[in-house]
Amino acid sequence: MGAAMTLDAIKAAARREAFARRKAAFAAGQGQAAAHLAAALASHAGRVLAGYMPMRTELDPLPAMAAHSGPVSVPVIDGKGLPLRFRAWSASAEMVPGDFGALVPRSGDWLEPEVLIVPLLAWDKRGYRLGYGGGFYDRTLEALRARRTILAIGYAFAAQQVPHVPIEPTDQRLDLIVTEKGAVLPSSSP
């Protein structure tokens, strides 16, 4: 990648590569990812959890979400440039298509999560993630962290790890990454 490439171009190229790595990892199976995620969530019983409805080749957090002992929610996109909102979810919730094709509960209470399971395309040992480019999770984490302590758990295949995620000042770090191989604590230096 030449020095003349913009950060947007660098991130776009990284996303293409990350989609390919994730697709290959997905084809190999999810292994013990759900068990590792459930173990990571076990010490957060009673706290409001936000998961996500898996799309395409994302790791599936639904088993761990359904097993969580406490309120569970999923993200709802209110509009471009806005933080996510979170609607209460259960395995029996009536789901409807939301923005970008993700399913969302038709109705339910709005919750403010304390623990978030965050989907991603790539992650690095510093705890940075490469998302889809909308900035929804970065805006959301920034707003939530301004009000309270939040635990952000990246949920991804080990093969999605890269040496260095390209970042900008608005990118929010993850507190933990859970893969099919176990949990990874980010290094302390950004």
Side-chain angles (χ1 to χ4, degrees), residues 107-124:
S107 61
D109 293 338
W110 294 103
L111 304 176
E112 184 167 299
E114 300 166 88
V115 178
L116 284 85
I117 304 169
V118 183
L120 53 94
L121 289 172
W123 60 277
D124 67 23

Side-chain angles (χ1 to χ4, degrees), residues 3 10 25 33 43 45 47 56-57 72 83 92 113-114 122 146 149-150 164-165 175:
I10 292 168
S43 63
R47 295 179 75 191
R56 298 180 294 271
T57 57
V72 179
S92 63
E114 300 166 88
T149 300
I150 298 296
H164 182 64
V165 170
D175 301 300

